[in-house]
Each structure stands twice: as C-alpha cells, then as structure tokens.
Amino acid sequence: MKKAQIAIFAAVALLIVAIVILLLYVQGIILPLSEEESKAILSSQVEPLRSFTSNCIEEATADALNFLGEHAGYADFAEDGLKSIDFAGEKVVVVVRTENGFVNRLPSKTAFEEQFNSYINNGASSQLDNCLNDFAGFKEQGFSVSPGKREIRGEISSGSFDVNVDWPILLRKGRARLQAEAQDIKIIIKVETALRVANDIVNKEAAGITFEGLEQDKYITENSLTFKGVSLDSQNYPTADQKIFLITTKISDPREKEFRFYFAVDRTIPI
C-alpha cells in the first residue's frame, strides 16, 4: 500500500514539475523561444501596449485640461505675474484696469496649447507615470519594456482636442525586440468654443464695456447657436468691481468630456 502511495505521489510530483517547466518554457525563461517565436509574441502585444498607453495619456490629458480650464488657461498663473480671487478656489484675473487702461491677459489659442504642453510634459508627468505603473502588467508576463523619450503636444480643434504623441517604446522578449510607437489620440471636448466665448467677454471688458445685465443678455441672444453648446454663469465678488465668469460646455455626444473655463476681471485701479 505504501509503495502504491509513493508511486502516486511521485506521479503527481512529476506532473507538477512538467507543468512548471511548460509554463517556464512558454514564458521563454528556460529553453528560450526562438527569435521568430518571440517576435510573434511581441507583435501580439503591440496593440494592447498602445491601448494601455493611450488610456493613460487620455486620462492625464483630461486632468490637465481641467486644471488649465479652472485657472484661466494657465499652468502657473503666479509665474506669469497674474493674481487670483478666492471664490470657491482660485479664479485667475485676466483683465486688470491700470492707470494706462485695461490689460487683457487671457491666453490665446496658441498660448493655451503651449501651457498644456508645458503642464503635461512637466507638472502632470508624474500623474501619467503613476497610471503607467512602470508597465508592470507587461513585465509580469515576461516582457521587458524600455520607454524612450516622451513628448506630448496638444492642439485645439473644432469640437475636439488633439494630442500628438512622440514616444517610442521598446519591447523585448528573449533575443527578439520590437519598437512600438504610442499613438495619437483625439478627445471630444469643446475647448475651442469655451475659449472663443471667454475671448469675446474679455475683449469687451478690455474695451471698457461692462459685460453684465443687458450687455450679457444681448451677447447670449446674438450667439444662440454657440450657447447650445455652453452655459455661462457670472458672479460679482468680492465687490461689484470684480466679476467671476464660469463657462461650462454642454455634452452632446456620449464620448464627449465636459470642459470648464473659469476666469475673473478686476475693474479697479490698483493702488
């Protein structure tokens, strides 16, 4: 009986060893895969890798746009010599009345894109890296992942925000290697519309036209098509000489993301 039990245990042990060896073989840890086999496996991982990186970049882009939108388009407004009004968070003053007249400090479309590029390649890079988690999911499957230099650039388009990604990523397994390129992404979001409305308001304020009451109602009526896609709220704070503007886009597509753009004007002459 004991001999039979020993034989059974030995058979089970041999089976377990065989399974372990098979798994190690599949992963190329022992009896390394041929270069052709490794390349085939690597090729099957290119799209999952691109999809993974795109999801992380899209998440980081959305967060970057939210941050910029809530700070009048600036990554660091204090560094640009601007002040803010504390109204449910910092609202950046982009129109200031000086002794020489009004000063318009709202970033242009190009300047907004440059602020985004600076923020996502520097300030938000750690957030993106946290999402990527050093490609742990791929490394656990036996792949070596070596990301190259990463550069992300945003571009405002009508109805979307396009993200151009220059980022080579080297995949390796055994003796085989394959370079993948992270793919560009497009986010459905009305950044362009919100900036256009903000620019119209700031231009009026910079021209000395107080944008409130009948003036605000007239503008909304004249731009009724635009306001099918955005809403506008405003609040005088802390006095009637300071005004906070809150622009929020309306979602008209299931894939679309909301965009908020907040800014302030100050009609007082600083002492």
Side-chain angles (χ1 to χ4, degrees), residues 196-197 200-201 204 211-234 243 245-247 250:
R196 177 158 40 86
V197 172
D200 289 345
I201 295 171
K204 287 181 180 292
F211 190 86
E212 58 184 51
L214 292 176
E215 186 65 37
Q216 180 171 322
D217 293 341
K218 177 184 175 185
Y219 176 79
I220 292 174
T221 300
E222 291 176 346
N223 295 274
S224 57
L225 288 178
T226 297
F227 278 88
K228 288 183 178 181
V230 299
S231 64
L232 171 64
D233 293 314
S234 58
K243 197 173 189 71
F245 290 95
L246 312 170
I247 300 171
K250 300 174 183 177

Side-chain angles (χ1 to χ4, degrees), residues 70 84-92 233-239 242-246 262-264:
E70 292 175 358
S84 66
I85 295 173
D86 187 6
F87 180 82
E90 296 172 322
K91 301 299 180 287
V92 181
D233 293 314
S234 58
Q235 177 69 48
N236 289 321
Y237 184 86
T239 74
Q242 292 84 27
K243 197 173 189 71
I244 312 294
F245 290 95
L246 312 170
Y262 302 159
F263 63 96

Side-chain angles (χ1 to χ4, degrees), residues 83 93 95-103 242 266-271:
K83 298 180 180 180
V93 178
V95 180
V96 180
R97 184 174 183 177
T98 69
E99 294 180 351
N100 297 320
F102 289 98
V103 177
Q242 292 84 27
D266 190 346
R267 304 175 185 123
T268 60
I269 300 178
I271 300 175

Side-chain angles (χ1 to χ4, degrees), residues 146-218:
S146 303
K149 182 180 179 181
R150 181 177 69 210
E151 184 175 7
I152 301 173
R153 302 188 66 81
E155 182 178 351
I156 299 171
S157 298
S158 179
S160 69
F161 190 84
D162 302 333
V163 183
N164 302 310
V165 183
D166 183 7
W167 190 18
I169 302 173
L170 183 64
L171 272 173
R172 286 180 294 182
K173 189 174 184 67
R175 291 172 293 172
R177 60 178 58 200
L178 183 65
Q179 182 165 295
E181 294 287 341
Q183 58 191 2
D184 299 340
I185 63 174
K186 178 188 290 287
I187 298 178
I188 308 302
I189 188 170
K190 298 187 183 82
V191 176
E192 187 270 339
T193 303
L195 288 180
R196 177 158 40 86
V197 172
N199 190 59
D200 289 345
I201 295 171
V202 171
N203 282 339
K204 287 181 180 292
E205 287 281 349
I209 301 172
T210 301
F211 190 86
E212 58 184 51
L214 292 176
E215 186 65 37
Q216 180 171 322
D217 293 341
K218 177 184 175 185

